[in-house]
Amino acid sequence: MRSLSECPTASLAWRRGGYSPPDFALQANGETFATLTFLDGERTLARVETAEGAWTLKHLGLLAPVVTLREEGEKTTLATFHPHALRHGKLEFLDGAVFDWTWHPDGGAFLDPGGIALVRLHAYPGRDLTSPAGLERCDVDLNLTSFARFRHALLAAFGWYLVLFDHQRERDAVAAETALRL
């Protein structure tokens, strides 16, 4: 696996590898720059791996719906995502770095404090985020001039986790509503 800082392009894609558990690889030009694998059936715990290391993402529940980022095997939370109204949110790192998350009809983006998109995610063209078929691909556009380029792989993985988690939640709500009608 190569470091995303060595990637020759600003356009990459998350592609599904396996289905049980679901796993994805962030790829460009046939090379892998990061992976994301869900570790539980509810898709609340995931493992992210890049050339720089491995981390876990964990959604912490309904009453306090934050998502944490930790180095794999460690207890210290390196970053916490706090959702806001309209599904937007803020990702705050332990070192003080802060990135806003904004939703778009087909995905989302992490923005720097000045409102410039650092990492933008687009669900596979033609797929509705509420489709019961599941998401298999997400295009990723990077801002290569950003000061936070060393965090692009984590931001891309965190964003994809949020899109996938939201898709799962929406799909489960539609399934529950359909079951009630039957």
Side-chain angles (χ1 to χ4, degrees), residues 67-88:
V67 178
T68 60
L69 171 75
R70 296 179 178 176
E71 278 189 76
E72 189 173 47
E74 299 295 325
K75 295 185 190 254
T76 303
T77 299
L78 298 178
T80 304
F81 176 78
H82 301 276
H84 297 297
L86 304 174
R87 299 176 16 216
H88 296 299

Side-chain angles (χ1 to χ4, degrees), residues 48-154:
V48 173
E49 185 175 3
T50 70
E52 290 74 30
W55 296 268
T56 57
L57 294 169
K58 174 76 174 162
H59 186 271
L60 295 180
L62 299 173
L63 297 178
V66 300
V67 178
T68 60
L69 171 75
R70 296 179 178 176
E71 278 189 76
E72 189 173 47
E74 299 295 325
K75 295 185 190 254
T76 303
T77 299
L78 298 178
T80 304
F81 176 78
H82 301 276
H84 297 297
L86 304 174
R87 299 176 16 216
H88 296 299
K90 188 172 296 291
L91 178 60
E92 299 179 31
F93 280 83
L94 192 59
D95 66 6
V98 176
F99 303 97
D100 288 319
W101 171 255
T102 61
W103 284 98
H104 302 287
D106 63 346
F110 275 111
L111 312 176
D112 71 8
I116 297 171
L118 303 174
V119 175
R120 187 177 298 273
L121 295 98
H122 306 274
Y124 187 78
R127 285 222 185 219
D128 178 356
L129 287 179
T130 60
S131 164
L135 298 175
E136 295 184 10
R137 179 180 170 167
C138 180
D139 293 332
V140 178
D141 298 317
L142 306 177
N143 178 340
L144 298 180
T145 63
S146 163
F147 71 93
R149 188 167 182 200
F150 70 96
R151 284 200 169 119
H152 275 152
L154 282 178

